[in-house]
Amino acid sequence: MHPQKSPESFMFTVGKLDAGMAILLGERAHLIEFPSILLPPGATTGSIVNIAVHRNVAEEKKRDAEFWALQDDILNEFGIKSPEPPCLQLRNVTQTSVTLEWPTIQLATAKLRSLDIYRNGQRLASIPSPHTNTSTKVSGLEINLEYSFQLILRTTAGTFPSNILRVRTHTMTDTSGISVCFGNVQDPVLLENAKVALREMKAKWSDRIQIDTTHFVCTTPAATPSGARAAGNTSGAPGVEYQRALQLSIPVVQPHWILACHSEK
């Protein structure tokens, strides 16, 4: 016997039309509800219609392909990259302070909730402007004592702690943490001697105040000649870096202070 082939269409009689639906009666007393809008034009109660049902394999494949392409796009956009834990580094250390720095935080597609600095496992403070700020200075520490520091990055994608950085503050005789900003030192020989002393103490200097600047060194508050020319200042008014040092409560000393520290080392 040959297997019976499935019919390609089914015959129904329209039994009733009501509220946009048609009641169709089949040859074997099958009854189905069918949207009347899909009936042929002119079909009404008592009309006989043939309904054919076919599987649209091509459209299924197209739909599946579009669905999985969307899933891949979502995965590539949100599922592969994640925020990176901060890499905490030591920038400078003195007898009573530690200056820390780190690269710009990487959030991927997450949103920042907070960036906090911890000292010895206890939350110390939140980092201001965490999207752009990449350093902080912790003051008021004890002399010659070990501390541990860590950054905790909290995002909508989770919490990412940095490495734990262990730092020991300097002893009173260790002057390598000194970081000076030179202002207007009128005697070039005195200025050069001060720089030589700093090199021998393994300290550092700059012409700009930075986050780890410990002292501002000058013989007069007036701007340096080059700085005065750049600002159009010919009256001998205090320089910009000198004013910043006062605003930040950075000690203002003369070059002889550096020479004294070097001789007592």
Side-chain angles (χ1 to χ4, degrees):
M1 294 180 60
H2 297 286
Q4 184 180 0
K5 295 183 178 179
S6 299
E8 295 183 357
S9 65
F10 301 87
M11 186 170 64
F12 291 90
T13 301
V14 180
K16 182 181 179 181
L17 295 173
D18 183 26
M21 297 299 294
I23 305 300
L24 304 184
L25 303 174
E27 294 177 325
R28 299 182 180 179
H30 295 154
L31 186 149
I32 65 172
E33 292 184 351
F34 193 78
S36 59
I37 194 173
L38 298 181
L39 292 175
T44 183
T45 301
S47 298
I48 297 177
V49 296
N50 287 343
I51 297 178
V53 180
H54 302 280
R55 181 180 179 184
N56 194 333
V57 177
E59 194 63 28
E60 284 185 16
K61 292 181 178 179
K62 178 182 176 182
R63 179 200 60 191
D64 291 346
E66 292 175 350
F67 173 80
W68 289 114
L70 176 61
Q71 300 307 306
D72 290 340
D73 291 342
I74 295 174
L75 176 63
N76 293 332
E77 182 70 20
F78 301 102
I80 294 180
K81 293 183 179 179
S82 63
E84 298 180 4
C87 181
L88 192 59
Q89 301 171 350
L90 177 65
R91 176 165 177 164
N92 193 39
V93 57
T94 68
Q95 286 84 355
T96 58
S97 68
V98 170
T99 304
L100 307 169
E101 62 182 2
W102 56 90
T104 304
I105 57 175
Q106 301 297 323
L107 297 176
T109 57
K111 293 183 179 180
L112 176 68
R113 287 183 173 171
S114 66
L115 181 63
D116 302 319
I117 183 71
Y118 282 69
R119 180 182 67 190
N120 294 340
Q122 300 294 320
R123 182 179 178 276
L124 190 61
S126 293
I127 302 299
S129 304
H131 288 285
T132 55
N133 193 2
T134 58
S135 60
T136 188
K137 186 175 183 178
V138 181
S139 303
L141 305 180
E142 298 290 334
I143 297 174
N144 192 27
L145 190 64
E146 185 177 278
Y147 293 88
S148 66
F149 297 94
Q150 187 178 32
L151 279 176
I152 302 294
L153 173 64
R154 292 182 174 87
T155 74
T156 54
T159 300
F160 300 86
S162 75
N163 55 302
I164 297 178
L165 186 65
R166 302 188 185 279
V167 183
R168 177 175 289 276
T169 53
H170 288 172
T171 62
M172 287 300 297
T173 57
D174 187 348
T175 55
S176 61
I178 294 176
S179 177
V180 307
C181 172
F182 279 111
N184 191 346
V185 178
Q186 296 170 310
D187 186 346
V189 176
L190 181 60
L191 175 62
E192 185 59 31
N193 289 340
K195 291 182 177 180
V196 171
L198 287 173
R199 276 195 294 266
E200 293 181 356
M201 291 190 298
K202 297 182 179 180
K204 57 184 180 180
W205 71 87
S206 172
D207 294 329
R208 293 285 184 270
I209 290 179
Q210 303 177 35
I211 189 172
D212 56 347
T213 298
T214 58
H215 298 81
F216 185 83
V217 180
C218 66
T219 55
T220 173
T224 60
S226 59
R229 287 194 299 270
N233 179 8
T234 57
S235 62
V240 174
E241 297 300 317
Y242 176 83
Q243 297 181 58
R244 285 192 62 199
L246 296 182
Q247 293 172 356
L248 298 173
S249 299
I250 296 176
V252 178
V253 298
Q254 294 201 10
H256 300 90
W257 175 83
I258 299 177
L259 301 179
C261 291
H262 178 260
S263 62
E264 294 179 5
K265 189 175 181 301

